[in-house]
Amino acid sequence: MALSNNIIGAINFVAVLLSIPVIGAGIWLATEPDNSCVKILQWPVIILGILILVVALAGFVGGVWRVPWLLIFYLVAMLILIILLACLVVFIYMVTMRGSGHLEPSRAYLEYHLEDFSGWLRRRVRSSYKWEGIRNCLSSTPMCAELNQSYSMAQDFFNAHLNPLQSGCCKPPTQCGYTFVNPTYWISPIAMAADMDCVQWNNDQTQLCYNCDSCKAGLLANLRKEWRRANIILLITLVALICVYLIGCCAFRNAKTEDLFRRYKQGYV
């Protein structure tokens, strides 16, 4: 029984360690400027990681100090958390399946369109009330000002590999036909009717294309890329947690069997 309990304790210590990448993924998302403006995924991930940590610690204490009710709590609660984590992994995969950039002639960067993304993600930025707060948050970052410091020549800018936010928010859509002055100042459009965003563009450095659908699409493209990276961490952790949980169940069953056999021998003697 003691050996089995020590094994259970060791297994739960591994589960404690597995909570770290989940919490770390949530903290990483929270530190990214776009995620900090949207505030959708980071807190559910962090909270789930903390719950896994607490439950695993309960299982560790129950295994090492032989507290049966803590072990039972661990087995039930961890199963629920594994199911929740699996649902989160599937959800992230489903909402990030769609959404990729489009190549434009003579441009190294990609253009992004809102309709390319999943309906659930689009609804997060469609509302003017929600977008106003996100827009103000994005415009307070230095991402567009940094382009002016990096690119002074048009051809250098056209050959730059901009991130989705910079492509969508800091410049007008390529199809509008604006003339480059600097990365955040464009004049003389030749195709204003090509896209509604052509009208939305404003050379005011606090406005730019922050009200454009292309900016919303760029934000979703950035979120998609970061969420998919975080989802890889969550998926690996999920598989490891399932393995640890199954081993823990076997060790718990063996411990109960040993205990029953010991009691039987004592009663027989």
Side-chain angles (χ1 to χ4, degrees), residues 54-143:
V54 171
V55 171
L57 282 173
F60 176 75
V61 172
V64 174
W65 280 276
R66 305 179 189 178
V67 184
W69 70 268
L70 271 180
L71 289 176
I72 294 172
F73 166 77
Y74 160 79
L75 292 174
V76 174
M78 187 58 76
L79 177 60
I80 294 172
L81 291 176
I82 286 174
I83 293 172
L84 289 176
L85 181 58
C87 291
L88 182 61
V89 168
V90 172
F91 170 76
I92 295 173
Y93 174 76
M94 293 299 295
V95 300
T96 58
M97 283 180 64
R98 297 173 51 196
S100 57
H102 300 268
L103 288 170
E104 293 289 341
S106 304
R107 301 291 189 270
Y109 49 77
L110 301 176
E111 301 270 348
Y112 298 88
H113 305 301
L114 196 55
E115 61 271 15
D116 291 336
F117 295 88
S118 69
W120 188 89
L121 280 177
R122 290 202 304 271
R123 286 192 293 273
R124 306 283 74 77
V125 297
R126 282 281 192 196
S127 164
S128 58
Y129 170 75
K130 291 180 181 178
W131 182 250
E132 184 64 24
I134 296 171
R135 191 197 76 82
N136 291 337
C137 180
L138 292 176
S139 63
S140 67
T141 67
M143 64 176 181

Coordinates of all heavy atoms in Angstrom, one line a residue, residues 54-143:
V54 N -4.0 23.0 -8.6 CA -4.6 22.8 -7.3 C -5.1 21.3 -7.1 O -4.8 20.7 -6.1 CB -5.8 23.7 -7.1 CG1 -6.6 23.4 -5.8 CG2 -5.3 25.2 -7.0
V55 N -5.7 20.8 -8.2 CA -6.2 19.4 -8.1 C -5.0 18.4 -8.0 O -5.1 17.5 -7.3 CB -7.1 19.1 -9.3 CG1 -7.4 17.6 -9.4 CG2 -8.4 19.9 -9.2
A56 N -4.0 18.7 -8.8 CA -2.8 17.8 -8.8 C -2.1 17.9 -7.4 O -1.6 16.8 -6.9 CB -1.8 18.2 -9.9
L57 N -2.0 19.0 -6.8 CA -1.5 19.2 -5.5 C -2.3 18.4 -4.5 O -1.7 17.7 -3.6 CB -1.4 20.6 -5.1 CG -0.2 21.4 -5.7 CD1 -0.4 22.9 -5.3 CD2 1.1 20.9 -5.2
A58 N -3.6 18.4 -4.6 CA -4.5 17.6 -3.7 C -4.2 16.1 -3.9 O -4.1 15.4 -2.9 CB -6.0 17.9 -4.0
G59 N -4.0 15.7 -5.1 CA -3.7 14.3 -5.4 C -2.4 13.9 -4.8 O -2.2 12.8 -4.3
F60 N -1.4 14.8 -4.9 CA -0.1 14.6 -4.4 C -0.1 14.4 -2.9 O 0.5 13.5 -2.3 CB 0.9 15.7 -4.8 CG 2.3 15.6 -4.2 CD1 3.2 14.7 -4.7 CD2 2.6 16.4 -3.2 CE1 4.4 14.6 -4.2 CE2 3.9 16.3 -2.6 CZ 4.8 15.4 -3.2
V61 N -0.8 15.3 -2.2 CA -0.9 15.2 -0.8 C -1.7 14.0 -0.4 O -1.3 13.2 0.6 CB -1.7 16.5 -0.2 CG1 -2.0 16.3 1.3 CG2 -0.8 17.7 -0.4
G62 N -2.7 13.6 -1.1 CA -3.5 12.4 -0.8 C -2.7 11.2 -1.0 O -2.9 10.2 -0.2
G63 N -1.8 11.2 -2.0 CA -1.0 10.0 -2.2 C 0.1 9.8 -1.2 O 0.3 8.7 -0.7
V64 N 0.8 10.9 -0.9 CA 2.0 10.8 0.0 C 1.5 10.6 1.4 O 2.1 9.8 2.2 CB 2.9 12.0 -0.2 CG1 4.0 12.0 0.8 CG2 3.4 12.1 -1.6
W65 N 0.5 11.3 1.8 CA 0.1 11.2 3.2 C -1.1 10.3 3.4 O -1.7 10.3 4.5 CB -0.2 12.6 3.8 CG 1.0 13.3 4.2 CD1 1.7 13.3 5.4 CD2 1.7 14.2 3.4 NE1 2.8 14.1 5.3 CE2 2.9 14.7 4.1 CE3 1.6 14.7 2.1 CZ2 3.8 15.6 3.6 CZ3 2.5 15.6 1.6 CH2 3.6 16.0 2.3
R66 N -1.5 9.5 2.4 CA -2.5 8.5 2.5 C -3.9 9.1 3.0 O -4.4 8.7 4.0 CB -2.1 7.4 3.4 CG -0.7 6.8 3.0 CD -0.3 5.7 3.9 NE 1.1 5.3 3.6 CZ 1.7 4.3 4.4 NH1 1.1 3.7 5.4 NH2 3.0 4.0 4.0
V67 N -4.4 10.0 2.2 CA -5.7 10.6 2.5 C -6.7 10.1 1.4 O -6.7 10.7 0.3 CB -5.6 12.1 2.6 CG1 -7.0 12.7 3.0 CG2 -4.5 12.6 3.5
P68 N -7.4 9.1 1.6 CA -8.2 8.5 0.5 C -9.2 9.5 -0.1 O -9.4 9.5 -1.3 CB -9.0 7.3 1.3 CG -8.1 7.0 2.4 CD -7.5 8.3 2.9
W69 N -9.9 10.3 0.7 CA -10.9 11.2 0.1 C -10.2 12.3 -0.8 O -10.9 12.7 -1.8 CB -11.7 11.9 1.2 CG -11.0 12.9 2.1 CD1 -10.3 12.7 3.2 CD2 -10.8 14.3 1.7 NE1 -9.7 13.9 3.7 CE2 -10.0 14.9 2.8 CE3 -11.2 15.1 0.7 CZ2 -9.7 16.2 2.8 CZ3 -10.9 16.5 0.7 CH2 -10.1 17.0 1.8
L70 N -9.0 12.6 -0.5 CA -8.3 13.5 -1.4 C -8.0 12.9 -2.8 O -8.1 13.5 -3.8 CB -7.0 14.0 -0.8 CG -7.1 15.3 0.1 CD1 -5.7 15.7 0.6 CD2 -7.7 16.5 -0.7
L71 N -7.6 11.6 -2.7 CA -7.4 10.8 -3.9 C -8.6 10.7 -4.8 O -8.6 10.8 -6.0 CB -6.8 9.5 -3.6 CG -5.4 9.4 -3.0 CD1 -5.0 8.0 -2.6 CD2 -4.4 10.0 -4.1
I72 N -9.8 10.4 -4.1 CA -11.0 10.3 -4.8 C -11.4 11.7 -5.5 O -11.8 11.8 -6.6 CB -12.1 9.8 -3.9 CG1 -11.8 8.4 -3.5 CG2 -13.5 9.9 -4.6 CD1 -12.8 7.9 -2.4
F73 N -11.2 12.8 -4.7 CA -11.4 14.1 -5.2 C -10.6 14.4 -6.4 O -11.0 14.9 -7.4 CB -11.1 15.1 -4.1 CG -11.0 16.5 -4.6 CD1 -12.2 17.3 -5.0 CD2 -9.8 17.2 -4.8 CE1 -12.1 18.6 -5.5 CE2 -9.7 18.5 -5.3 CZ -10.9 19.1 -5.6
Y74 N -9.3 14.0 -6.3 CA -8.4 14.2 -7.4 C -8.8 13.4 -8.7 O -8.8 14.0 -9.8 CB -7.0 13.7 -7.1 CG -6.1 13.4 -8.2 CD1 -5.4 14.4 -8.9 CD2 -5.9 12.0 -8.7 CE1 -4.6 14.1 -10.0 CE2 -5.1 11.8 -9.8 CZ -4.5 12.8 -10.5 OH -3.7 12.6 -11.6
L75 N -9.2 12.2 -8.5 CA -9.7 11.4 -9.7 C -10.9 12.0 -10.4 O -11.0 12.0 -11.6 CB -9.9 9.9 -9.3 CG -8.7 9.1 -8.8 CD1 -9.1 7.8 -8.3 CD2 -7.7 8.9 -10.0
V76 N -11.9 12.4 -9.6 CA -13.1 13.0 -10.2 C -12.8 14.4 -10.8 O -13.2 14.6 -11.9 CB -14.2 13.1 -9.1 CG1 -15.4 13.8 -9.7 CG2 -14.6 11.7 -8.6
A77 N -12.1 15.2 -10.0 CA -11.9 16.6 -10.5 C -10.9 16.6 -11.7 O -11.2 17.4 -12.6 CB -11.3 17.4 -9.3
M78 N -9.9 15.8 -11.7 CA -9.0 15.8 -12.8 C -9.6 15.3 -14.1 O -9.3 15.8 -15.1 CB -7.7 15.0 -12.5 CG -6.6 15.0 -13.5 SD -6.0 16.7 -13.8 CE -5.0 17.0 -12.3
L79 N -10.5 14.3 -13.9 CA -11.3 13.9 -15.1 C -12.1 15.0 -15.7 O -12.1 15.2 -16.9 CB -12.2 12.7 -14.7 CG -13.1 12.2 -15.9 CD1 -12.2 11.6 -17.0 CD2 -14.0 11.1 -15.3
I80 N -12.7 15.8 -14.8 CA -13.5 16.9 -15.3 C -12.6 18.0 -16.0 O -12.9 18.5 -17.1 CB -14.3 17.6 -14.1 CG1 -15.3 16.6 -13.6 CG2 -14.9 18.9 -14.6 CD1 -16.0 17.1 -12.3
L81 N -11.5 18.2 -15.4 CA -10.5 19.2 -16.0 C -9.9 18.7 -17.3 O -9.7 19.5 -18.2 CB -9.4 19.5 -15.0 CG -9.8 20.3 -13.7 CD1 -8.7 20.4 -12.8 CD2 -10.4 21.6 -14.1
I82 N -9.7 17.4 -17.4 CA -9.2 16.9 -18.7 C -10.2 17.1 -19.8 O -9.9 17.4 -20.9 CB -8.8 15.4 -18.5 CG1 -7.5 15.3 -17.7 CG2 -8.6 14.7 -19.8 CD1 -7.1 13.9 -17.3
I83 N -11.5 16.8 -19.4 CA -12.6 17.0 -20.4 C -12.7 18.5 -20.8 O -12.8 18.8 -22.0 CB -13.9 16.5 -19.8 CG1 -13.9 15.0 -19.6 CG2 -15.1 16.9 -20.7 CD1 -15.1 14.4 -18.9
L84 N -12.6 19.4 -19.8 CA -12.6 20.8 -20.1 C -11.5 21.2 -21.0 O -11.6 22.0 -22.0 CB -12.6 21.6 -18.8 CG -13.9 21.6 -18.0 CD1 -13.7 22.3 -16.7 CD2 -15.1 22.2 -18.8
L85 N -10.3 20.7 -20.7 CA -9.1 21.0 -21.5 C -9.3 20.5 -22.9 O -8.9 21.2 -23.9 CB -7.8 20.5 -20.9 CG -6.5 20.8 -21.6 CD1 -6.3 22.3 -21.7 CD2 -5.3 20.1 -20.8
A86 N -9.8 19.3 -23.1 CA -10.0 18.7 -24.4 C -11.0 19.6 -25.2 O -10.8 19.8 -26.4 CB -10.5 17.3 -24.3
C87 N -12.1 20.0 -24.5 CA -13.1 20.9 -25.2 C -12.4 22.2 -25.6 O -12.7 22.7 -26.7 CB -14.2 21.2 -24.2 SG -15.3 19.7 -23.9
L88 N -11.6 22.7 -24.8 CA -10.9 24.0 -25.1 C -10.0 23.8 -26.3 O -9.9 24.6 -27.3 CB -10.1 24.5 -23.9 CG -9.4 25.8 -24.1 CD1 -10.3 27.0 -24.4 CD2 -8.5 26.2 -22.9
V89 N -9.2 22.7 -26.4 CA -8.3 22.4 -27.5 C -9.1 22.3 -28.8 O -8.8 22.8 -29.8 CB -7.5 21.1 -27.2 CG1 -6.8 20.6 -28.5 CG2 -6.5 21.3 -26.1
V90 N -10.3 21.5 -28.7 CA -11.1 21.4 -29.9 C -11.7 22.7 -30.3 O -11.7 23.0 -31.5 CB -12.2 20.3 -29.7 CG1 -13.2 20.3 -30.8 CG2 -11.6 18.9 -29.4
F91 N -12.2 23.5 -29.4 CA -12.8 24.8 -29.7 C -11.8 25.7 -30.4 O -12.1 26.3 -31.4 CB -13.3 25.4 -28.4 CG -13.7 26.9 -28.6 CD1 -14.9 27.2 -29.1 CD2 -12.8 27.9 -28.1 CE1 -15.3 28.5 -29.3 CE2 -13.2 29.2 -28.3 CZ -14.4 29.5 -28.9
I92 N -10.6 25.8 -29.8 CA -9.5 26.7 -30.5 C -9.2 26.2 -31.9 O -9.1 27.0 -32.8 CB -8.3 26.7 -29.6 CG1 -8.5 27.3 -28.3 CG2 -7.1 27.4 -30.3 CD1 -7.4 27.3 -27.3
Y93 N -9.1 24.9 -32.1 CA -8.9 24.3 -33.4 C -10.0 24.7 -34.4 O -9.7 25.1 -35.5 CB -8.7 22.8 -33.3 CG -8.6 22.2 -34.7 CD1 -7.4 22.2 -35.4 CD2 -9.6 21.5 -35.2 CE1 -7.2 21.6 -36.6 CE2 -9.5 20.9 -36.5 CZ -8.3 21.0 -37.2 OH -8.2 20.4 -38.4
M94 N -11.2 24.6 -33.9 CA -12.4 24.9 -34.8 C -12.4 26.3 -35.2 O -12.7 26.6 -36.4 CB -13.7 24.4 -34.1 CG -13.8 22.9 -33.9 SD -13.7 22.0 -35.4 CE -15.2 22.5 -36.2
V95 N -12.2 27.2 -34.3 CA -12.4 28.7 -34.6 C -11.2 29.2 -35.3 O -11.3 30.3 -35.9 CB -12.7 29.5 -33.3 CG1 -14.0 29.1 -32.6 CG2 -11.5 29.5 -32.4
T96 N -10.1 28.5 -35.3 CA -8.9 29.0 -36.1 C -8.6 28.2 -37.3 O -7.5 28.3 -37.9 CB -7.6 28.9 -35.1 OG1 -7.4 27.6 -34.7 CG2 -7.8 29.8 -33.9
M97 N -9.5 27.4 -37.7 CA -9.3 26.6 -39.0 C -9.2 27.5 -40.2 O -8.4 27.3 -41.1 CB -10.5 25.6 -39.2 CG -10.4 24.4 -38.3 SD -11.8 23.2 -38.6 CE -11.5 22.8 -40.3
R98 N -10.1 28.6 -40.2 CA -10.2 29.5 -41.4 C -9.4 30.7 -41.1 O -9.2 31.1 -40.0 CB -11.6 29.8 -41.7 CG -12.5 28.6 -42.1 CD -13.9 29.0 -42.2 NE -14.1 30.2 -43.0 CZ -15.2 31.0 -43.0 NH1 -16.2 30.7 -42.2 NH2 -15.3 32.0 -43.8
G99 N -8.9 31.4 -42.2 CA -8.3 32.7 -42.0 C -6.9 32.7 -42.5 O -6.0 32.3 -41.7
S100 N -6.6 33.1 -43.7 CA -5.3 33.2 -44.2 C -5.1 34.5 -45.0 O -6.1 35.0 -45.5 CB -4.9 32.0 -45.0 OG -5.8 31.8 -46.1
G101 N -3.9 35.0 -45.2 CA -3.7 36.2 -46.0 C -3.7 36.0 -47.5 O -3.7 34.9 -48.0
H102 N -3.9 37.1 -48.2 CA -3.9 37.1 -49.6 C -2.7 37.8 -50.2 O -2.4 38.9 -49.7 CB -5.2 37.7 -50.2 CG -6.4 37.0 -49.7 ND1 -7.0 35.9 -50.4 CD2 -7.2 37.1 -48.5 CE1 -8.1 35.5 -49.7 NE2 -8.2 36.2 -48.6
L103 N -2.1 37.3 -51.2 CA -1.0 37.9 -51.9 C -1.5 39.1 -52.8 O -2.5 38.9 -53.4 CB -0.2 36.9 -52.7 CG 0.7 35.9 -51.9 CD1 1.2 34.9 -52.9 CD2 1.9 36.7 -51.2
E104 N -0.7 40.2 -52.8 CA -1.0 41.3 -53.7 C 0.2 41.5 -54.6 O 1.3 41.2 -54.3 CB -1.3 42.6 -52.9 CG -2.6 42.5 -52.1 CD -3.8 42.6 -52.9 OE1 -3.7 43.0 -54.1 OE2 -4.9 42.2 -52.4
P105 N -0.1 41.9 -55.9 CA 1.0 42.1 -56.8 C 2.1 43.1 -56.3 O 1.8 44.1 -55.7 CB 0.4 42.7 -58.1 CG -1.1 42.3 -57.9 CD -1.4 42.2 -56.5
S106 N 3.4 42.7 -56.4 CA 4.5 43.5 -56.0 C 4.5 43.8 -54.6 O 5.1 44.9 -54.2 CB 4.5 44.8 -56.9 OG 4.5 44.5 -58.2
R107 N 4.0 43.0 -53.7 CA 4.0 43.2 -52.3 C 4.5 41.9 -51.6 O 4.1 40.8 -51.9 CB 2.6 43.5 -51.7 CG 1.9 44.8 -52.3 CD 2.7 46.0 -51.9 NE 2.0 47.2 -52.3 CZ 2.1 47.9 -53.5 NH1 3.0 47.4 -54.3 NH2 1.4 49.0 -53.7
A108 N 5.4 42.1 -50.6 CA 5.8 40.9 -49.8 C 4.9 40.6 -48.7 O 4.8 39.5 -48.3 CB 7.2 41.2 -49.3
Y109 N 4.2 41.6 -48.2 CA 3.2 41.4 -47.1 C 1.9 40.9 -47.7 O 1.6 41.0 -48.8 CB 3.0 42.7 -46.3 CG 2.7 43.9 -47.1 CD1 1.5 44.1 -47.6 CD2 3.7 44.9 -47.3 CE1 1.2 45.3 -48.3 CE2 3.5 46.0 -48.0 CZ 2.2 46.2 -48.5 OH 1.9 47.4 -49.2
L110 N 1.1 40.4 -46.8 CA -0.2 39.8 -47.1 C -1.3 40.8 -46.7 O -1.2 41.6 -45.8 CB -0.5 38.5 -46.4 CG 0.6 37.4 -46.7 CD1 0.3 36.1 -45.9 CD2 0.6 37.0 -48.2
E111 N -2.5 40.7 -47.4 CA -3.7 41.4 -47.1 C -4.7 40.5 -46.5 O -4.7 39.3 -46.8 CB -4.3 42.1 -48.4 CG -3.3 43.0 -49.1 CD -3.4 44.5 -48.6 OE1 -4.4 44.8 -47.8 OE2 -2.5 45.3 -48.9
Y112 N -5.5 41.0 -45.6 CA -6.5 40.1 -44.9 C -7.9 40.6 -45.0 O -8.1 41.8 -45.0 CB -6.1 40.1 -43.4 CG -4.7 39.5 -43.2 CD1 -3.5 40.3 -43.2 CD2 -4.5 38.1 -43.0 CE1 -2.3 39.8 -43.1 CE2 -3.2 37.6 -42.8 CZ -2.1 38.4 -42.9 OH -0.9 37.9 -42.7
H113 N -8.8 39.7 -45.2 CA -10.2 40.0 -45.3 C -11.1 39.4 -44.2 O -10.9 38.2 -43.9 CB -10.7 39.5 -46.7 CG -9.9 40.0 -47.9 ND1 -9.8 41.4 -48.1 CD2 -9.2 39.4 -48.8 CE1 -9.0 41.6 -49.2 NE2 -8.7 40.4 -49.6
L114 N -12.0 40.1 -43.7 CA -12.7 39.7 -42.5 C -13.5 38.5 -42.7 O -13.7 37.6 -41.9 CB -13.6 40.9 -42.0 CG -14.2 40.8 -40.6 CD1 -13.1 40.6 -39.6 CD2 -15.0 42.0 -40.3
E115 N -14.1 38.3 -44.0 CA -15.0 37.2 -44.3 C -14.2 35.9 -44.3 O -14.9 34.8 -44.4 CB -15.7 37.4 -45.6 CG -14.8 37.6 -46.8 CD -14.4 39.0 -47.0 OE1 -14.6 39.9 -46.1 OE2 -13.9 39.3 -48.2
D116 N -12.9 35.9 -44.3 CA -12.1 34.7 -44.4 C -12.1 33.9 -43.0 O -11.7 32.8 -43.0 CB -10.7 34.9 -44.8 CG -10.6 35.4 -46.2 OD1 -11.5 35.1 -47.0 OD2 -9.6 36.1 -46.6
F117 N -12.5 34.6 -41.9 CA -12.4 34.0 -40.6 C -13.7 33.4 -40.1 O -14.8 33.7 -40.7 CB -11.9 35.1 -39.6 CG -10.5 35.6 -39.9 CD1 -10.3 36.6 -40.8 CD2 -9.4 35.0 -39.4 CE1 -9.0 37.1 -41.1 CE2 -8.1 35.4 -39.7 CZ -7.9 36.4 -40.6
S118 N -13.6 32.6 -39.1 CA -14.8 31.9 -38.6 C -15.8 32.9 -38.1 O -15.4 34.1 -37.6 CB -14.4 31.0 -37.4 OG -14.0 31.7 -36.3
G119 N -17.1 32.6 -38.1 CA -18.1 33.4 -37.7 C -18.0 33.8 -36.2 O -18.3 35.0 -35.8
W120 N -17.5 32.9 -35.4 CA -17.4 33.2 -33.9 C -16.3 34.3 -33.7 O -16.6 35.2 -32.9 CB -17.0 31.9 -33.2 CG -17.0 32.1 -31.7 CD1 -18.0 31.9 -30.8 CD2 -15.9 32.5 -30.9 NE1 -17.6 32.2 -29.6 CE2 -16.3 32.6 -29.5 CE3 -14.6 32.9 -31.1 CZ2 -15.5 33.0 -28.5 CZ3 -13.7 33.3 -30.1 CH2 -14.2 33.3 -28.8
L121 N -15.2 34.2 -34.4 CA -14.2 35.2 -34.3 C -14.7 36.6 -34.8 O -14.4 37.6 -34.2 CB -12.9 34.8 -35.0 CG -12.0 33.8 -34.3 CD1 -10.8 33.5 -35.1 CD2 -11.5 34.4 -32.9
R122 N -15.4 36.5 -36.0 CA -15.9 37.8 -36.5 C -16.8 38.5 -35.6 O -16.8 39.7 -35.5 CB -16.6 37.5 -37.9 CG -15.7 37.1 -39.0 CD -16.3 37.4 -40.3 NE -17.6 36.7 -40.5 CZ -17.8 35.5 -40.9 NH1 -16.7 34.8 -41.3 NH2 -19.0 35.0 -41.1
R123 N -17.6 37.7 -34.9 CA -18.6 38.4 -33.9 C -17.9 39.1 -32.8 O -18.4 40.0 -32.1 CB -19.5 37.3 -33.4 CG -20.6 36.9 -34.4 CD -21.7 36.1 -33.8 NE -21.2 34.8 -33.3 CZ -21.2 33.7 -34.0 NH1 -21.6 33.8 -35.3 NH2 -20.8 32.6 -33.5
R124 N -16.6 38.7 -32.5 CA -15.9 39.3 -31.4 C -15.5 40.7 -31.8 O -15.1 41.5 -30.9 CB -14.6 38.5 -31.0 CG -14.9 37.0 -30.7 CD -15.4 36.8 -29.3 NE -16.8 37.1 -29.1 CZ -17.8 36.4 -29.5 NH1 -17.7 35.3 -30.2 NH2 -19.1 36.7 -29.2
V125 N -15.4 41.1 -33.1 CA -15.0 42.4 -33.5 C -16.0 43.2 -34.3 O -15.8 44.3 -34.7 CB -13.7 42.3 -34.3 CG1 -12.6 41.7 -33.5 CG2 -13.9 41.5 -35.6
R126 N -17.2 42.5 -34.6 CA -18.2 43.2 -35.4 C -18.9 44.3 -34.7 O -19.1 45.4 -35.3 CB -19.3 42.2 -35.8 CG -18.9 41.2 -37.0 CD -19.0 41.9 -38.3 NE -18.9 40.9 -39.4 CZ -18.7 41.3 -40.7 NH1 -18.5 42.6 -41.0 NH2 -18.6 40.4 -41.6
S127 N -19.2 44.1 -33.5 CA -19.9 45.1 -32.7 C -19.1 46.4 -32.6 O -17.9 46.4 -32.2 CB -20.2 44.6 -31.3 OG -20.6 45.6 -30.4
S128 N -19.7 47.5 -32.9 CA -19.0 48.8 -32.8 C -18.6 49.1 -31.4 O -17.6 49.8 -31.1 CB -19.9 50.0 -33.4 OG -21.1 50.0 -32.7
Y129 N -19.5 48.7 -30.4 CA -19.2 48.9 -29.0 C -17.9 48.2 -28.6 O -17.0 48.7 -27.9 CB -20.4 48.5 -28.1 CG -20.1 48.5 -26.7 CD1 -20.0 49.6 -25.9 CD2 -19.9 47.3 -26.0 CE1 -19.7 49.6 -24.6 CE2 -19.6 47.2 -24.6 CZ -19.5 48.4 -23.9 OH -19.2 48.4 -22.6
K130 N -17.8 46.9 -29.0 CA -16.6 46.1 -28.6 C -15.4 46.6 -29.4 O -14.3 46.7 -28.8 CB -16.9 44.6 -29.0 CG -17.9 43.9 -28.2 CD -18.0 42.5 -28.6 CE -19.1 41.7 -27.8 NZ -19.3 40.3 -28.3
W131 N -15.6 47.0 -30.6 CA -14.4 47.4 -31.4 C -13.9 48.7 -31.0 O -12.7 49.0 -31.1 CB -14.8 47.5 -32.9 CG -13.6 47.9 -33.7 CD1 -13.4 49.1 -34.4 CD2 -12.4 47.1 -34.0 NE1 -12.2 49.1 -35.0 CE2 -11.6 47.9 -34.8 CE3 -12.0 45.8 -33.6 CZ2 -10.3 47.4 -35.2 CZ3 -10.8 45.4 -34.0 CH2 -10.0 46.1 -34.8
E132 N -14.7 49.6 -30.4 CA -14.2 50.9 -30.0 C -13.1 50.8 -28.9 O -12.1 51.4 -29.0 CB -15.4 51.7 -29.4 CG -15.0 53.2 -29.0 CD -14.5 54.0 -30.2 OE1 -14.9 53.7 -31.3 OE2 -13.8 55.0 -29.9
G133 N -13.4 49.9 -28.0 CA -12.4 49.6 -26.9 C -11.1 49.0 -27.5 O -10.0 49.3 -27.1
I134 N -11.3 48.0 -28.4 CA -10.2 47.3 -29.0 C -9.4 48.3 -29.8 O -8.1 48.3 -29.8 CB -10.6 46.1 -29.8 CG1 -11.3 45.1 -29.0 CG2 -9.5 45.5 -30.6 CD1 -12.0 44.0 -29.8
R135 N -10.0 49.1 -30.6 CA -9.4 50.1 -31.5 C -8.5 51.1 -30.6 O -7.4 51.4 -31.0 CB -10.4 50.9 -32.3 CG -9.9 51.8 -33.4 CD -10.9 52.8 -33.8 NE -11.0 53.9 -32.8 CZ -10.1 54.9 -32.8 NH1 -9.1 55.0 -33.6 NH2 -10.2 55.8 -31.9
N136 N -9.1 51.6 -29.6 CA -8.3 52.5 -28.7 C -7.1 51.8 -28.1 O -6.0 52.4 -28.0 CB -9.2 53.0 -27.6 CG -10.3 54.0 -28.1 OD1 -10.2 54.5 -29.2 ND2 -11.4 54.1 -27.3
C137 N -7.3 50.6 -27.8 CA -6.1 49.8 -27.2 C -5.0 49.6 -28.3 O -3.9 49.8 -28.0 CB -6.6 48.5 -26.7 SG -5.3 47.4 -26.0
L138 N -5.4 49.2 -29.5 CA -4.5 49.0 -30.5 C -3.8 50.3 -30.9 O -2.5 50.3 -31.2 CB -5.2 48.4 -31.8 CG -5.7 47.0 -31.6 CD1 -6.4 46.6 -32.9 CD2 -4.5 46.0 -31.4
S139 N -4.5 51.4 -31.0 CA -3.9 52.7 -31.4 C -2.9 53.2 -30.4 O -2.1 54.1 -30.8 CB -5.0 53.7 -31.7 OG -5.7 54.0 -30.5
S140 N -3.0 52.7 -29.2 CA -2.1 53.2 -28.2 C -0.7 52.5 -28.2 O 0.2 52.8 -27.5 CB -2.7 53.0 -26.8 OG -2.8 51.6 -26.5
T141 N -0.6 51.4 -29.1 CA 0.6 50.7 -29.2 C 1.5 51.4 -30.2 O 1.0 52.1 -31.1 CB 0.3 49.2 -29.6 OG1 -0.2 49.2 -30.9 CG2 -0.6 48.5 -28.6
P142 N 2.8 51.1 -30.2 CA 3.7 51.8 -31.2 C 3.9 51.0 -32.5 O 4.8 51.3 -33.2 CB 5.0 51.8 -30.4 CG 5.0 50.6 -29.5 CD 3.6 50.4 -29.2
M143 N 3.0 50.0 -32.8 CA 3.3 49.1 -33.9 C 3.3 49.9 -35.2 O 4.1 49.6 -36.1 CB 2.2 48.0 -34.0 CG 0.8 48.5 -34.2 SD -0.3 47.1 -34.4 CE -1.9 48.0 -34.7

